[in-house]
Amino acid sequence: CAVGDLNFYLQRKIKEKKSIDEADIFNWLIQICVGLEYLHSRRIIHRDLKPQNIFLTANNTVKIGDFGISKVLEGTTQVAMTVVGTPYYMPPEAC
């Protein structure tokens, strides 16, 4: 992805003391939600979603990456019981 990951992009904007266009933020949020909905509809949980795993293309398209610790559930009633991922991005309910 030409722009890099979202963390790199945010750090660059902070360093340049520039703001991020609100429309871009909403666009990324919608794309991330649609991407997660797609994964969940196929019973895949990412388990390490964070800015370093969200990639931006030159035309502002979001790509979700790094599925190293993702899990494919066998059924719709199965749950993942292991706690993995980056602690700073762990949801409170997992703690």
Side-chain angles (χ1 to χ4, degrees):
C1 293
V3 178
D5 66 48
L6 185 56
N7 184 62
F8 175 79
Y9 180 83
L10 295 173
Q11 294 303 320
R12 190 176 72 219
K13 288 292 187 179
I14 290 169
K15 192 175 187 179
E16 295 171 352
K17 297 184 185 204
K18 292 184 178 178
S19 61
I20 301 169
D21 185 39
E22 189 174 299
D24 286 338
I25 295 169
F26 284 122
N27 180 23
W28 298 334
L29 176 64
I30 290 167
Q31 289 184 66
I32 292 167
C33 290
V34 169
L36 287 174
E37 180 183 40
Y38 175 83
L39 292 172
H40 293 170
S41 72
R42 277 139 184 86
R43 299 185 318 268
I44 300 170
I45 52 175
H46 190 281
R47 303 205 295 187
D48 197 24
L49 195 63
K50 58 186 176 183
Q52 291 91 337
N53 295 335
I54 304 294
F55 300 96
L56 302 172
T57 67
N59 67 350
N60 221 13
T61 301
V62 167
K63 304 286 184 177
I64 300 173
D66 191 2
F67 287 84
I69 59 173
S70 64
K71 181 173 179 78
V72 179
L73 302 176
E74 293 178 17
T76 55
T77 59
Q78 183 185 8
V79 294
M81 299 301 290
T82 55
V83 178
V84 295
T86 306
Y88 292 123
Y89 297 97
M90 187 175 295
E93 64 272 14
C95 297

